[in-house]
Amino acid sequence: MQQIGVGLIGTGYMGKCHALAWNSVKAVFGSGPRPRLVHLGEVTAELALQKAEEFGFERATGDWREVVADPEVEVVSVTTPNQFHAEMAVAALEAGKHVWCEKPMAVSFADAERMRAAARASGRTAVLGYNYIQNPAIRHIEALLRQGAIGEVNHVRLEMDEDFMADPDVLFYWKSEASSGYGALDDFGVHPLSLITTLLGPVERVMANMSKPYPDRPLRDGGRRTVETYDIASVLIELAGGASGVIALSRTAWGRKGRIAVQIFGARGTIVYDQERLNEVQLYSTGDAPAEQGFRTILTGGLHPPYDRFVPAPGHGLGFNDLKIIECHELLKAIEGKPARIIDFEAGLEIERTVHAMARSHHEGRWVTVASQ
Amino acid sequence: MQQIGVGLIGTGYMGKCHALAWNSVKAVFGSGPRPRLVHLGEVTAELALQKAEEFGFERATGDWREVVADPEVEVVSVTTPNQFHAEMAVAALEAGKHVWCEKPMAVSFADAERMRAAARASGRTAVLGYNYIQNPAIRHIEALLRQGAIGEVNHVRLEMDEDFMADPDVLFYWKSEASSGYGALDDFGVHPLSLITTLLGPVERVMANMSKPYPDRPLRDGGRRTVETYDIASVLIELAGGASGVIALSRTAWGRKGRIAVQIFGARGTIVYDQERLNEVQLYSTGDAPAEQGFRTILTGGLHPPYDRFVPAPGHGLGFNDLKIIECHELLKAIEGKPARIIDFEAGLEIERTVHAMARSHHEGRWVTVASQ
Amino acid sequence: MQQIGVGLIGTGYMGKCHALAWNSVKAVFGSGPRPRLVHLGEVTAELALQKAEEFGFERATGDWREVVADPEVEVVSVTTPNQFHAEMAVAALEAGKHVWCEKPMAVSFADAERMRAAARASGRTAVLGYNYIQNPAIRHIEALLRQGAIGEVNHVRLEMDEDFMADPDVLFYWKSEASSGYGALDDFGVHPLSLITTLLGPVERVMANMSKPYPDRPLRDGGRRTVETYDIASVLIELAGGASGVIALSRTAWGRKGRIAVQIFGARGTIVYDQERLNEVQLYSTGDAPAEQGFRTILTGGLHPPYDRFVPAPGHGLGFNDLKIIECHELLKAIEGKPARIIDFEAGLEIERTVHAMARSHHEGRWVTVASQ
Amino acid sequence: MQQIGVGLIGTGYMGKCHALAWNSVKAVFGSGPRPRLVHLGEVTAELALQKAEEFGFERATGDWREVVADPEVEVVSVTTPNQFHAEMAVAALEAGKHVWCEKPMAVSFADAERMRAAARASGRTAVLGYNYIQNPAIRHIEALLRQGAIGEVNHVRLEMDEDFMADPDVLFYWKSEASSGYGALDDFGVHPLSLITTLLGPVERVMANMSKPYPDRPLRDGGRRTVETYDIASVLIELAGGASGVIALSRTAWGRKGRIAVQIFGARGTIVYDQERLNEVQLYSTGDAPAEQGFRTILTGGLHPPYDRFVPAPGHGLGFNDLKIIECHELLKAIEGKPARIIDFEAGLEIERTVHAMARSHHEGRWVTVASQ
């Protein structure tokens, strides 16, 4: 395969991120097919045209179904708001396209199940946009865990915090509507869960508490409206592997801009990571001489693949968008039938299942076993 | 009052810490009575004599009751293992002495209640050794909260971690016996609770999960014994003031030596603190210009009393023992009937109540209201 | 201008970095001409062909002069080893092409002067690859300085350290040969100088000390050879604006991977930056309330252009390669005759002049005025 | 020796620090003589009396000569302003007392030589107050260097910065008068030199640049006066052992409160330290597995003597005053004729010699060999 035809639906935050990845992946990795940017869909033909020109797509449309139907499109990036994921991804899969869909899968568990079913039926590659697992730092953490660098893991803590809802004067918008989901739990919680799934395996049971820092928010035209979602969630977890843990989520955490703080405690050491310093891994190892034990700040570099595909010099730093390029490369490998580091619709559904179990545990005030969801 | 007669029972970790405080408090603060180190009690007369010579006490005894009975002793430091606190503190109070007792109050809630009753009956000053609240950094955090620097608090997270039990090869000893308490929950949990109580007010309800990283530990003479306490505890909390939160505790967290990590989120900012860097406060304020907002690392100094009593130059750093000197000074103020920053047996009992409610919530798998304990 | 024809000479570390920038710049910025990747030159036709396929160039050649001569090429990236810069850049300029040449300009000052002359004569845009000045963090530092956020600057310290030569067992290679230049001084020193020039203006006089941590290095085939360059350089400086300062450079600094540590002290505050955490700016301002003064860690985001062209969410992080994309965008603006943030051959020559003055000060053991060079 | 009679002259910043050390040293270390606080001298009898009461001294005087003459005084702490050190220290030595004198020795080199001569003639112990070398962290750095943990040292950088003169509106006072010395160079420079001397051996040659951030300062009663000292100094150095280095000093560095930043680069690793985090050592070792190399943050604890004399638990933190207690203990060991970690008047004179060589190099604009001073 020399080329692969790409369709893109949506050109917002994640749409642009996909477009950048499609533009760069071949030059970065030097191998695999060259993406041919064929067809871009947006809500209006005008916007589609403008973005196609910016992103380098050949064709543009105001009707996303034309992207899906385009015979030259082989893989479709779905980057629209969450409520549209199911419809578009299913349509693309049914049209025989591979799908690269942003997370979370869908608002309802039923929709997520429908997407999984479509993926199974199609035999196509269906991948979710869990970019953080692609970070060479996270990959190295996985390698450390696999090689037993910190012994058996017995406790984990994950925090994911941003502050885009922290201002009580942020206007009421769709993220505060119940129709958008639970709040921080699904908006954010899926990311820590993607890391737990990748690094530590499945979650066994959960006990969540969700809270609303602000009971209502101002409306654009005056007045206030009651907030229906929970901007904060805290969850006790137990992993199938035996470790206990905590997941803490907030989109009202002033000062946190892209924090995903991970602490993994084992019988022989500890690993710490923070997404706001995405090129650093902290490792404490009891293998060090006792008087010299301490957390090491490891700067990622050539010894932490695929960092070297971006820069030969260590410690020079990858950025957020680079993680999407790696994800794109893994997607292409999966399409080619090669082993790939992805969260596909199968694995993604398990993340959704865990999120919904958490929500139930909150409402019922008791532990919920994930498998029972 | 020019002088005050001091008795000390116990000369281990905390006993020495008290002795150092008694030796220094007058020179540091320049005001208040001069402690006269009268009588020191230890388990043997020999050890008592040796420690009296080291710490500068006039008399020594192998029978702690002699310390309590000594007419020249006006205040007694109780720094023995937790199971002896109740008996000694009650005896001292009944003998008309003021009491400075190390935390936690007692192993059982009934004992703690008995201590509170004795304090009430005696009319004496009875103070617990919650030294972390004395840190000028913590005092400044309190001042910031009082003046509304971060607006109304809506979420908190506290972690307390050390690693002295982290090695699975640590021998089974009394800390792994059920008779010593629950484990991390009471051994550690009382410290974060002293901070919450001081900074944010009472806890309303709790939901805990405790776990054992190692099911058994080696015995000195071979063989292994089942661990009866929980080295790890994670707790969902809700404060009476409305904020939600998490407390996470571990004494098996490799690499953490004296971590008490505090995150307090408000409507207009965030405060972050870590005891391992006890001279630093992190403040994020939305009062800063938007493009210059960020966490500030404030080094404590002369503007953060009573730092200036130790060093006139800012950022030169107080140490762990200095916090005990401040606590000693507050104790003396309380004895003199002045307003003082202390956690007395009344406040201490509420901390104990909260801990026991947490333990119950773990065993019953549901939320427990603290007041119901 | 809808498109611009691009030629690339060299495909190593910086060649790939240019190629990635050319591939992404239009999608990132959405404005300006779309680069058309026309012609790629490498030392062999084979390698050129392979890299053209990877990077997306239409034509490939083993003779760089064909790139320069190609009528469809309008701008040429020169990313070959330093000793070839002058010949290639001059040839490209004489052929009427714009030039984007990696730093440093040339090994000898005479060559650098020749390049500057060719740029002047051609009337074309000639830009050097000083990517670090493009970082939104550095731009924000410049904005802060311009608006007087820290008052008049009176002292600066810059360190640039890596460790790729730190191992005494690194084989002798061209970087240890005198023909490659002075060592850390020109290999590294130009970067801090690009920051000083951009942020603080010209250097008035200098006093350098260069040193060799290892007198000789092993040869591949056995034996050892005397090192001719200085892996370490330390320089006292005085700026035309009146501030004093220090520049410290090392390519044998174990553990430093991409450190460019900047400290700028002013009458009302301090700014601190470290390239290893390239998305963070530290600001200490006396405008803050006295008891809350501290270094703020500002995470770059949408308020620090052009960060927002990459990611809408703050604190998610740009990477090293992103800085080159910004540089590419500035280059295109310059070519279009718009105001642009670049270091052109005029400004670049002043950096070279300063470096050579430093070398002279070392050899003569006295202060050297830069203008006298 | 069961007791040792102590005299104290001066009760300011350092006087109190000495008093605290004398009060605590026996209780902390448990060994050595018990200090008996005999006689305290201040500028007035009244102040002396007040401070004697606070610090626990038996007698007080407004005439420091009475302290020196007191037959019950065996060791005299000299903590007065620098210009009085020589007279008092010499008088005390001539009276047969041991002397603990604050740094720097004296304003003039001649005075410092006179002090050294008096110490030699007296045969008494004469120690300078270089407390930073007493930090368990610094001791551990020394141990690491001795055991070759980072191989042969080839480069060092030391910065010492505070901001008590950073405000241009700080009134003109004696620190801006030439009679007080050079400025940052002697006021501060002696501390980094005490560390270099202890850790790395003597300085061979120096090349300094001193600068004045503010040409004049306001007078209390209006008007302004020209500043005669240099608040900033930067120095190139070469050590006798062969390493090159930089010392940078400022007392106008906004935001720096007690920074002494040390970077020591060797053939196999790097050690980094910052006094503002005085309980942490950073170590980068090439002995670590390549993919896990990084700077370790080692928190001092029981493995770093004499930390354990203060707190048994690691990472709980010593403070600035604790370093003086260690120094006091070393002084007592020296008095008892035991090996001790001190900078005596011999070693102190070499530090003074180096400082004066630096000043000369500034004025002469050339390198100065220290031994030639």
Side-chain angles (χ1 to χ4, degrees), chain B residues 96 115 127 165 185 205 296 353:
Chain B
M115 291 167 75
V127 167
M165 308 279 281
L185 193 59
R205 59 179 204 136
R296 284 181 223 168
R353 191 187 307 281

Side-chain angles (χ1 to χ4, degrees), chain D residues 27-103:
Chain D
V28 168
F29 283 93
S31 59
R34 170 168 302 284
R36 182 184 149 214
L37 310 192
V38 175
H39 213 144
L40 180 151
E42 250 299 346
V43 285
T44 67
E46 238 173 355
L47 181 57
L49 203 64
Q50 181 204 322
K51 290 297 173 185
E53 147 71 4
E54 286 178 27
F55 296 167
F57 278 78
E58 298 171 11
R59 293 193 278 281
T61 173
D63 176 4
W64 65 268
R65 294 191 179 275
E66 293 186 5
V67 175
V68 168
D70 190 324
E72 292 188 316
V73 166
E74 293 161 84
V75 55
V76 178
S77 280
V78 178
T79 71
T80 49
N82 305 344
Q83 63 263 38
F84 303 116
H85 289 179
E87 183 180 13
M88 292 172 177
V90 169
L93 288 163
E94 288 177 352
K97 316 299 189 192
H98 306 290
V99 170
W100 187 14
C101 180
E102 270 313 305
K103 43 64 39 186

Side-chain angles (χ1 to χ4, degrees), chain B residues 99-360:
Chain B
V99 170
W100 187 15
C101 181
E102 270 311 305
K103 46 63 39 185
M105 286 179 84
V107 176
S108 77
F109 188 64
D111 272 349
E113 282 181 313
R114 204 155 57 83
M115 291 167 75
R116 198 262 310 259
R120 280 190 180 174
S122 73
R124 298 295 164 175
T125 298
V127 167
L128 290 159
Y130 285 108
N131 51 325
Y132 294 122
I133 67 165
Q134 302 298 347
N135 187 343
I138 296 295
R139 289 192 183 200
H140 192 63
I141 291 172
E142 186 181 354
L144 288 168
L145 292 171
R146 294 274 180 278
Q147 72 199 43
I150 62 165
E152 197 175 347
V153 171
N154 52 54
H155 189 58
V156 298
R157 295 186 197 142
L158 291 95
E159 298 168 88
M160 181 162 181
D161 299 313
E162 297 193 12
D163 66 1
F164 62 95
M165 308 279 281
D167 193 333
D169 293 332
V170 164
L171 294 180
F172 188 99
Y173 74 124
W174 63 267
K175 288 222 176 199
S176 293
E177 285 187 59
S179 62
S180 75
Y182 304 114
L185 193 59
D186 39 352
D187 194 21
F188 269 23
V190 293
H191 276 304
L193 284 172
S194 75
L195 294 174
I196 289 176
T197 297
T198 303
L199 299 175
L200 301 160
V203 178
E204 176 91 10
R205 59 179 204 136
V206 295
M207 170 67 211
N209 186 34
M210 302 196 284
S211 64
K212 297 177 185 177
Y214 313 121
D216 51 30
R217 288 188 181 273
L219 292 165
R220 185 175 308 274
D221 306 321
R224 305 185 69 83
R225 182 169 159 189
T226 299
V227 170
E228 299 162 4
T229 54
Y230 300 90
D231 293 331
I232 297 173
S234 310
V235 194
L236 305 177
I237 60 172
E238 289 185 354
L239 302 187
S244 63
V246 179
I247 299 176
L249 310 163
S250 173
R251 48 190 197 189
T252 55
W254 272 122
R256 304 308 191 189
K257 306 301 181 183
R259 180 171 166 91
I260 307 180
V262 178
Q263 299 179 73
I264 304 173
F265 300 98
R268 294 210 303 274
T270 298
I271 292 171
V272 173
Y273 171 81
D274 183 351
Q275 178 69 25
E276 284 181 359
R277 288 177 172 170
L278 68 94
N279 296 288
E280 302 180 11
V281 173
Q282 307 275 336
L283 170 67
Y284 184 96
S285 167
T286 60
D288 293 342
E292 276 84 63
Q293 288 179 13
F295 280 95
R296 284 181 223 168
T297 302
I298 304 166
L299 293 173
T300 47
L303 299 172
H304 313 99
Y307 176 100
D308 61 312
R309 300 310 309 166
F310 294 84
V311 196
H316 281 51
L318 303 192
F320 177 84
N321 286 338
D322 293 329
L323 307 187
K324 211 70 185 178
I325 299 174
I326 303 175
E327 188 176 280
C328 187
H329 181 62
E330 295 296 322
L331 166 71
L332 290 174
K333 288 200 297 185
I335 290 174
E336 294 187 295
K338 296 175 184 165
R341 181 189 185 79
I342 52 168
I343 290 184
D344 62 15
F345 282 16
E346 296 289 339
L349 188 68
E350 296 313 301
I351 290 175
E352 302 293 320
R353 191 187 307 281
T354 311
V355 163
H356 291 283
M358 288 173 175
R360 210 169 85 202

Side-chain angles (χ1 to χ4, degrees), chain A residues 9 38-41 59-73 97:
Chain A
I9 312 177
V38 175
H39 213 143
L40 180 151
R59 293 193 278 279
T61 173
D63 176 4
W64 65 268
R65 293 190 179 275
E66 292 187 7
V67 175
V68 169
D70 189 324
E72 290 188 319
V73 165
K97 315 301 190 191

Side-chain angles (χ1 to χ4, degrees), chain A residues 40-57:
Chain A
L40 180 151
E42 249 300 346
V43 284
T44 68
E46 237 173 356
L47 181 57
L49 203 63
Q50 180 204 322
K51 290 298 173 184
E53 148 72 2
E54 286 178 26
F55 296 167
F57 278 79

Side-chain angles (χ1 to χ4, degrees), chain D residues 1-317:
Chain D
M1 180 168 43
Q2 289 301 310
Q3 286 201 325
I4 182 166
V6 175
L8 170 67
I9 312 177
T11 63
Y13 183 172
M14 278 301 123
K16 182 168 181 175
C17 195
H18 279 231
L20 289 171
W22 287 122
N23 267 288
S24 298
V25 64
K26 175 71 180 184
V28 168
F29 283 93
S31 59
R34 170 168 302 284
R36 182 184 149 214
L37 310 192
V38 175
H39 213 144
L40 180 151
E42 250 299 346
V43 285
T44 67
E46 238 173 355
L47 181 57
L49 203 64
Q50 181 204 322
K51 290 297 173 185
E53 147 71 4
E54 286 178 27
F55 296 167
F57 278 78
E58 298 171 11
R59 293 193 278 281
T61 173
D63 176 4
W64 65 268
R65 294 191 179 275
E66 293 186 5
V67 175
V68 168
D70 190 324
E72 292 188 316
V73 166
E74 293 161 84
V75 55
V76 178
S77 280
V78 178
T79 71
T80 49
N82 305 344
Q83 63 263 38
F84 303 116
H85 289 179
E87 183 180 13
M88 292 172 177
V90 169
L93 288 163
E94 288 177 352
K97 316 299 189 192
H98 306 290
V99 170
W100 187 14
C101 180
E102 270 313 305
K103 43 64 39 186
M105 286 180 85
V107 176
S108 76
F109 189 65
D111 272 349
E113 282 181 311
R114 202 156 58 84
M115 291 167 76
R116 199 261 310 259
R120 280 190 180 174
S122 73
R124 297 295 163 177
T125 298
V127 167
L128 290 159
Y130 285 109
N131 50 326
Y132 295 120
I133 66 165
Q134 302 298 347
N135 187 343
I138 296 295
R139 289 191 182 201
H140 192 62
I141 291 173
E142 186 181 354
L144 287 168
L145 293 171
R146 293 276 180 279
Q147 71 198 46
I150 63 165
E152 196 175 347
V153 171
N154 51 55
H155 189 58
V156 298
R157 295 186 196 142
L158 290 96
E159 298 168 87
M160 180 162 181
D161 298 313
E162 297 195 11
D163 67 1
F164 62 94
M165 307 279 282
D167 192 333
D169 293 333
V170 164
L171 294 180
F172 188 99
Y173 74 123
W174 63 268
K175 289 223 176 198
S176 294
E177 285 188 59
S179 62
S180 75
Y182 304 114
L185 193 60
D186 40 353
D187 194 22
F188 268 25
V190 292
H191 277 305
L193 285 172
S194 75
L195 294 175
I196 289 176
T197 297
T198 303
L199 299 175
L200 301 160
V203 178
E204 175 92 9
R205 61 181 203 135
V206 295
M207 169 67 211
N209 186 34
M210 301 196 285
S211 63
K212 299 177 183 175
Y214 313 121
D216 51 30
R217 289 188 180 272
L219 293 165
R220 187 175 308 273
D221 306 320
R224 305 184 68 83
R225 183 170 160 189
T226 300
V227 170
E228 300 162 2
T229 54
Y230 299 89
D231 293 331
I232 298 172
S234 310
V235 194
L236 305 176
I237 60 172
E238 289 185 353
L239 303 187
S244 63
V246 179
I247 299 176
L249 310 163
S250 173
R251 47 190 198 189
T252 55
W254 273 122
R256 304 307 191 189
K257 306 301 180 183
R259 180 171 167 90
I260 307 179
V262 178
Q263 299 178 75
I264 305 173
F265 300 98
R268 294 210 304 274
T270 297
I271 292 170
V272 173
Y273 171 81
D274 182 350
Q275 178 68 26
E276 285 182 359
R277 288 177 172 167
L278 68 93
N279 296 288
E280 301 180 12
V281 173
Q282 307 274 338
L283 170 66
Y284 184 97
S285 168
T286 60
D288 293 342
E292 275 84 62
Q293 289 179 12
F295 279 94
R296 285 182 222 169
T297 302
I298 304 166
L299 293 173
T300 47
L303 299 172
H304 313 99
Y307 176 100
D308 62 312
R309 300 309 310 166
F310 293 84
V311 196
H316 281 51

